[in-house]
Amino acid sequence: MRSLLRTPMMAPLVRDSALVWLASGVVGVSFGAVAVAGGLPVWVPVVMSLVVYAGSAQFSAVGVLLAGGGPFAAAATGLLLNTRTAAFSLAVADVLGGRSRLARFLGAHLVTDETVAFTLAQSDPVRRRTAFWVNGLGLFAAWNIGVLAGALAGSALGDTATYGLDAAFPAVLMALVLPALRKDAGIRRAAVLGAVVALAVTPAVPAGVPVLLALAGLFVYGRRRAAA
C-alpha cells in the first residue's frame, strides 16, 4: 500500500479528492454538533465515527437515541442503512488490500459512497487502487476531525441545518458520477431506473432504504452486460 501512495499520480488524486474531504469535514462538524447539542456526551459521536464510520447511519442512530430509543434500536437503524456498503464492497473488491488481512479489514472499513464513486471513476487498475486508498484515508481523517471539532463546539454552532450542510455530500457525489453517466448509456439507464425506484418507495419506507433499493438499477445493468 505504501508503494501505491508514492506513485506519480498521488498529487492529482489528492487534488481531486480535496473537495470530497472538505465536504466530509463540514458534514462531520454538523454531526458532532448535533449529537452533543442534543444531549449526548462528546465521546459518543467521536467513538462512533472511529468505529462505525458511516455518515447517514450515524445521523440516523443518533436521531433514534435523541428521540428516546435504546442502543439496540439505534444500532439496528444504522445497520439497516449501511447494508448498501456490502454491494459497494463487491464493486471495489479488487482494491481492498490484496492478501493482507489487516489491509483488507482497513479497506473494508473505508468503503463509503464517496470513496467507491471516486474509485470507479478511474479507468486504469493501478490508478483505481491508488485512488481508493488516497481518497478513503483522507476522507476518514477529514470526517473524524470534523466530528471532533463539532462535538467540542457543541451547541455553540446553533441549528446546523440552517447552513445547508446536508447538501454537501449529494453535490460531491453528483460531480463524481457525471463523467461515467456521460460515457456509458447503460449506466445512464441503470441510474434512471434506480432513481425511479428510490422515488417510488420513499413515501413508504424508512429513510435510507430507498438508496438500497435503488441498487436494482445496477442489477439490471450487470445482467445486460453479462448477456452482451
Coordinates of all heavy atoms in Angstrom, one line a residue, residues 59-120:
F59 N -26.0 9.6 11.6 CA -27.1 10.6 11.8 C -28.4 9.9 12.3 O -29.0 10.4 13.2 CB -27.3 11.4 10.6 CG -26.4 12.6 10.4 CD1 -25.4 12.6 9.5 CD2 -26.7 13.7 11.1 CE1 -24.6 13.7 9.4 CE2 -25.9 14.9 11.0 CZ -24.8 14.8 10.1
S60 N -28.7 8.8 11.6 CA -29.9 8.1 12.0 C -29.9 7.5 13.4 O -30.9 7.6 14.1 CB -30.2 7.0 10.9 OG -30.4 7.5 9.6
A61 N -28.7 6.9 13.7 CA -28.6 6.2 15.0 C -28.7 7.3 16.1 O -29.4 7.1 17.1 CB -27.3 5.5 15.1
V62 N -28.0 8.4 15.9 CA -28.1 9.5 16.9 C -29.5 10.0 17.0 O -30.0 10.4 18.1 CB -27.1 10.6 16.6 CG1 -27.4 11.9 17.4 CG2 -25.7 10.1 16.9
G63 N -30.2 10.1 15.9 CA -31.6 10.6 15.9 C -32.5 9.7 16.7 O -33.3 10.2 17.5
V64 N -32.2 8.4 16.6 CA -33.0 7.4 17.4 C -32.7 7.6 18.9 O -33.6 7.6 19.8 CB -32.7 6.0 17.0 CG1 -33.3 5.0 18.0 CG2 -33.2 5.7 15.6
L65 N -31.4 7.8 19.2 CA -31.0 7.9 20.6 C -31.6 9.2 21.2 O -32.1 9.2 22.3 CB -29.5 8.0 20.7 CG -28.8 6.7 20.5 CD1 -27.3 6.9 20.5 CD2 -29.1 5.6 21.5
L66 N -31.6 10.3 20.4 CA -32.1 11.6 20.9 C -33.6 11.6 21.1 O -34.2 12.4 21.8 CB -31.6 12.7 20.0 CG -30.1 13.0 20.0 CD1 -29.8 14.2 19.1 CD2 -29.5 13.2 21.4
A67 N -34.2 10.7 20.3 CA -35.7 10.6 20.3 C -36.2 9.7 21.5 O -37.4 9.5 21.7 CB -36.2 10.1 19.0
G68 N -35.2 9.1 22.2 CA -35.6 8.3 23.3 C -35.4 6.8 23.1 O -35.7 6.0 24.0
G69 N -35.0 6.4 21.9 CA -34.8 5.0 21.6 C -33.6 4.4 22.3 O -32.7 5.1 22.6
G70 N -33.6 3.1 22.4 CA -32.5 2.5 23.1 C -31.3 2.2 22.1 O -31.4 2.4 20.9
P71 N -30.2 1.7 22.7 CA -29.0 1.4 21.9 C -29.3 0.4 20.8 O -28.7 0.4 19.7 CB -28.0 0.9 22.9 CG -28.4 1.5 24.2 CD -29.9 1.6 24.1
F72 N -30.1 -0.6 21.1 CA -30.4 -1.7 20.2 C -31.1 -1.1 19.0 O -30.8 -1.4 17.8 CB -31.2 -2.8 20.8 CG -31.6 -3.9 19.9 CD1 -30.7 -4.9 19.6 CD2 -32.8 -3.9 19.3 CE1 -31.0 -5.9 18.7 CE2 -33.2 -4.9 18.4 CZ -32.3 -6.0 18.1
A73 N -32.1 -0.3 19.2 CA -32.9 0.3 18.1 C -32.0 1.2 17.3 O -32.1 1.2 16.0 CB -34.0 1.1 18.6
A74 N -31.1 2.0 17.9 CA -30.2 2.8 17.2 C -29.2 2.0 16.3 O -29.0 2.4 15.2 CB -29.4 3.7 18.2
A75 N -28.7 0.9 16.9 CA -27.7 0.1 16.2 C -28.4 -0.6 15.0 O -27.9 -0.7 13.9 CB -27.1 -1.0 17.1
A76 N -29.7 -1.1 15.2 CA -30.4 -1.7 14.1 C -30.7 -0.7 13.0 O -30.6 -1.1 11.8 CB -31.7 -2.3 14.7
T77 N -31.0 0.5 13.3 CA -31.3 1.5 12.3 C -30.0 1.8 11.5 O -30.1 1.8 10.2 CB -31.8 2.8 12.9 OG1 -33.0 2.6 13.7 CG2 -32.0 3.9 11.9
G78 N -28.9 2.0 12.2 CA -27.7 2.2 11.5 C -27.2 1.0 10.6 O -26.8 1.2 9.5
L79 N -27.4 -0.2 11.1 CA -27.1 -1.4 10.3 C -27.9 -1.5 9.0 O -27.4 -1.8 8.0 CB -27.3 -2.6 11.2 CG -26.9 -3.9 10.5 CD1 -25.4 -4.0 10.2 CD2 -27.2 -5.1 11.5
L80 N -29.2 -1.2 9.2 CA -30.1 -1.3 8.0 C -29.7 -0.3 6.9 O -29.6 -0.6 5.7 CB -31.5 -1.0 8.4 CG -32.6 -0.9 7.3 CD1 -32.7 -2.2 6.6 CD2 -33.9 -0.5 7.8
L81 N -29.3 0.9 7.3 CA -29.0 2.0 6.4 C -27.6 1.7 5.7 O -27.3 2.1 4.6 CB -28.9 3.3 7.1 CG -30.3 3.9 7.6 CD1 -30.1 5.2 8.2 CD2 -31.3 3.9 6.4
N82 N -26.8 0.9 6.4 CA -25.4 0.7 5.9 C -25.3 -0.6 5.2 O -24.1 -0.9 4.7 CB -24.4 0.7 7.1 CG -23.2 1.5 6.8 OD1 -23.2 2.5 6.1 ND2 -22.0 1.1 7.3
T83 N -26.3 -1.3 5.0 CA -26.2 -2.6 4.3 C -25.8 -2.4 2.8 O -25.3 -3.3 2.2 CB -27.5 -3.4 4.3 OG1 -28.6 -2.5 3.9 CG2 -27.8 -3.9 5.7
R84 N -26.1 -1.2 2.3 CA -25.7 -1.0 0.9 C -24.2 -1.0 0.6 O -23.7 -1.3 -0.5 CB -26.2 0.4 0.5 CG -25.5 1.6 1.1 CD -26.1 2.9 0.8 NE -25.3 4.0 1.3 CZ -25.3 4.5 2.5 NH1 -26.1 3.8 3.4 NH2 -24.6 5.5 2.9
T85 N -23.4 -0.8 1.7 CA -21.9 -0.9 1.5 C -21.5 -2.3 1.2 O -20.4 -2.5 0.7 CB -21.2 -0.4 2.8 OG1 -21.6 -1.2 3.9 CG2 -21.5 1.1 3.0
A86 N -22.3 -3.3 1.5 CA -21.9 -4.7 1.1 C -21.8 -4.8 -0.5 O -20.9 -5.4 -1.0 CB -22.9 -5.7 1.6
A87 N -22.8 -4.2 -1.1 CA -22.8 -4.2 -2.6 C -21.6 -3.3 -3.1 O -20.9 -3.6 -4.1 CB -24.1 -3.7 -3.2
F88 N -21.4 -2.2 -2.4 CA -20.3 -1.3 -2.8 C -18.9 -2.0 -2.7 O -18.0 -1.8 -3.5 CB -20.3 0.0 -2.0 CG -21.5 0.9 -2.2 CD1 -21.8 1.8 -1.2 CD2 -22.3 0.7 -3.3 CE1 -22.9 2.7 -1.4 CE2 -23.4 1.5 -3.5 CZ -23.7 2.5 -2.6
S89 N -18.8 -2.8 -1.7 CA -17.5 -3.5 -1.4 C -17.2 -4.5 -2.6 O -16.1 -4.7 -3.0 CB -17.6 -4.3 -0.1 OG -17.7 -3.4 1.0
L90 N -18.3 -5.1 -3.1 CA -18.1 -6.0 -4.2 C -17.6 -5.3 -5.5 O -16.8 -5.8 -6.2 CB -19.4 -6.7 -4.6 CG -19.9 -7.7 -3.5 CD1 -21.3 -8.2 -3.9 CD2 -18.9 -8.8 -3.3
A91 N -18.0 -4.0 -5.6 CA -17.6 -3.2 -6.8 C -16.2 -2.8 -6.7 O -15.6 -2.6 -7.8 CB -18.5 -2.0 -6.9
V92 N -15.6 -2.8 -5.5 CA -14.2 -2.4 -5.4 C -13.4 -3.5 -4.7 O -12.3 -3.2 -4.1 CB -14.1 -1.0 -4.6 CG1 -14.7 0.1 -5.4 CG2 -14.7 -1.1 -3.3
A93 N -13.8 -4.7 -4.8 CA -13.1 -5.8 -4.1 C -11.7 -6.0 -4.6 O -10.8 -6.4 -3.8 CB -13.9 -7.1 -4.4
D94 N -11.4 -5.6 -5.8 CA -10.0 -5.8 -6.3 C -9.0 -4.8 -5.8 O -7.8 -4.9 -6.0 CB -10.0 -5.7 -7.9 CG -10.6 -4.3 -8.3 OD1 -11.6 -3.8 -7.7 OD2 -10.0 -3.8 -9.3
V95 N -9.5 -3.8 -5.0 CA -8.6 -2.8 -4.5 C -8.5 -2.7 -3.0 O -7.9 -1.8 -2.4 CB -8.9 -1.4 -5.0 CG1 -8.9 -1.3 -6.5 CG2 -10.3 -0.9 -4.5
L96 N -9.1 -3.7 -2.3 CA -9.3 -3.7 -0.9 C -8.1 -4.2 0.0 O -8.3 -4.3 1.2 CB -10.6 -4.4 -0.5 CG -11.9 -3.8 -0.8 CD1 -13.0 -4.6 -0.2 CD2 -12.0 -2.4 -0.3
G97 N -7.0 -4.5 -0.6 CA -5.9 -4.8 0.2 C -5.1 -6.1 -0.1 O -4.2 -6.5 0.6
G98 N -5.5 -6.8 -1.2 CA -4.7 -7.9 -1.6 C -4.7 -9.1 -0.6 O -5.8 -9.4 -0.1
R99 N -3.6 -9.6 -0.3 CA -3.5 -10.8 0.6 C -3.5 -10.5 2.1 O -3.7 -11.3 2.9 CB -2.3 -11.6 0.2 CG -2.3 -12.2 -1.2 CD -1.1 -13.0 -1.5 NE -1.1 -13.5 -2.9 CZ -0.1 -14.2 -3.4 NH1 0.9 -14.5 -2.7 NH2 -0.2 -14.6 -4.6
S100 N -3.2 -9.3 2.4 CA -3.0 -8.9 3.8 C -4.4 -8.8 4.5 O -5.3 -8.0 4.0 CB -2.3 -7.6 4.0 OG -2.4 -7.1 5.3
R101 N -4.6 -9.5 5.6 CA -5.9 -9.5 6.3 C -6.2 -8.1 6.9 O -7.3 -7.6 6.9 CB -6.0 -10.5 7.3 CG -6.1 -12.0 6.8 CD -6.3 -13.0 7.9 NE -6.4 -14.3 7.4 CZ -6.6 -15.4 8.2 NH1 -6.7 -15.2 9.5 NH2 -6.7 -16.6 7.6
L102 N -5.1 -7.5 7.4 CA -5.2 -6.2 8.1 C -5.6 -5.2 7.0 O -6.4 -4.3 7.3 CB -3.9 -5.9 8.8 CG -3.9 -4.5 9.5 CD1 -5.0 -4.4 10.5 CD2 -2.5 -4.2 10.1
A103 N -4.9 -5.2 5.9 CA -5.2 -4.2 4.8 C -6.6 -4.4 4.3 O -7.3 -3.4 4.0 CB -4.2 -4.4 3.7
R104 N -7.1 -5.7 4.2 CA -8.5 -5.9 3.7 C -9.5 -5.4 4.7 O -10.5 -4.8 4.4 CB -8.7 -7.4 3.4 CG -8.0 -7.9 2.2 CD -8.6 -9.2 1.7 NE -8.5 -10.3 2.8 CZ -7.5 -11.1 2.9 NH1 -6.5 -11.0 2.1 NH2 -7.6 -12.0 3.8
F105 N -9.2 -5.6 6.0 CA -10.1 -5.1 7.0 C -10.1 -3.6 7.0 O -11.2 -3.0 7.1 CB -9.6 -5.6 8.4 CG -10.4 -5.1 9.6 CD1 -11.6 -5.7 9.9 CD2 -10.0 -4.0 10.3 CE1 -12.3 -5.3 11.0 CE2 -10.8 -3.5 11.4 CZ -11.9 -4.1 11.7
L106 N -9.0 -2.9 6.9 CA -8.9 -1.5 6.8 C -9.6 -1.0 5.6 O -10.4 0.0 5.6 CB -7.5 -1.0 6.8 CG -7.3 0.5 6.7 CD1 -8.0 1.3 7.8 CD2 -5.8 0.9 6.7
G107 N -9.4 -1.6 4.4 CA -10.0 -1.2 3.2 C -11.6 -1.3 3.3 O -12.3 -0.5 2.9
A108 N -12.0 -2.4 3.9 CA -13.5 -2.6 4.0 C -14.1 -1.5 4.9 O -15.2 -1.0 4.7 CB -13.8 -4.0 4.6
H109 N -13.3 -1.1 5.9 CA -13.8 0.0 6.8 C -13.9 1.3 6.1 O -14.7 2.2 6.5 CB -12.8 0.1 8.0 CG -13.3 0.9 9.1 ND1 -14.6 0.7 9.8 CD2 -12.8 2.0 9.8 CE1 -14.8 1.6 10.7 NE2 -13.7 2.4 10.7
L110 N -13.1 1.5 5.1 CA -13.0 2.8 4.4 C -14.0 2.9 3.2 O -14.1 3.9 2.6 CB -11.6 3.0 3.8 CG -10.5 3.1 4.7 CD1 -9.1 3.3 4.0 CD2 -10.7 4.3 5.7
V111 N -14.8 1.8 3.0 CA -15.8 1.8 1.9 C -16.9 2.7 2.2 O -17.7 2.5 3.2 CB -16.3 0.4 1.6 CG1 -17.5 0.4 0.6 CG2 -15.2 -0.5 1.1
T112 N -17.1 3.8 1.4 CA -18.2 4.7 1.6 C -18.7 5.0 0.2 O -18.1 4.7 -0.8 CB -17.8 6.0 2.2 OG1 -16.8 6.7 1.4 CG2 -17.1 5.8 3.6
D113 N -19.9 5.7 0.1 CA -20.4 6.1 -1.2 C -19.4 6.9 -2.0 O -19.2 6.7 -3.2 CB -21.7 6.9 -1.0 CG -22.7 6.3 0.0 OD1 -22.3 6.0 1.1 OD2 -23.9 6.1 -0.5
E114 N -18.8 7.9 -1.3 CA -17.9 8.8 -2.0 C -16.6 8.1 -2.4 O -16.2 8.3 -3.6 CB -17.5 9.9 -1.0 CG -18.7 10.8 -0.6 CD -19.5 10.1 0.5 OE1 -19.0 9.3 1.2 OE2 -20.7 10.4 0.6
T115 N -16.0 7.3 -1.6 CA -14.8 6.6 -2.0 C -15.0 5.6 -3.1 O -14.2 5.5 -4.1 CB -14.2 5.8 -0.8 OG1 -13.9 6.8 0.2 CG2 -13.0 5.1 -1.2
V116 N -16.1 4.9 -3.1 CA -16.4 4.0 -4.2 C -16.7 4.7 -5.5 O -16.2 4.3 -6.6 CB -17.7 3.1 -3.8 CG1 -18.1 2.3 -5.0 CG2 -17.3 2.2 -2.7
A117 N -17.4 5.8 -5.4 CA -17.7 6.6 -6.6 C -16.4 7.2 -7.2 O -16.2 7.1 -8.4 CB -18.7 7.7 -6.3
F118 N -15.5 7.6 -6.3 CA -14.2 8.2 -6.8 C -13.4 7.1 -7.4 O -12.7 7.3 -8.4 CB -13.5 8.8 -5.6 CG -12.3 9.6 -6.0 CD1 -12.3 10.9 -6.5 CD2 -11.0 9.0 -5.8 CE1 -11.2 11.6 -6.8 CE2 -9.9 9.7 -6.1 CZ -10.0 11.0 -6.6
T119 N -13.4 5.9 -6.8 CA -12.6 4.8 -7.3 C -13.1 4.3 -8.7 O -12.3 4.1 -9.6 CB -12.6 3.6 -6.3 OG1 -12.1 4.1 -5.0 CG2 -11.8 2.5 -6.8
L120 N -14.4 4.1 -8.8 CA -14.9 3.6 -10.0 C -14.8 4.6 -11.2 O -15.0 4.3 -12.4 CB -16.4 3.2 -9.8 CG -16.6 2.1 -8.9 CD1 -18.1 1.8 -8.7 CD2 -15.9 0.8 -9.3

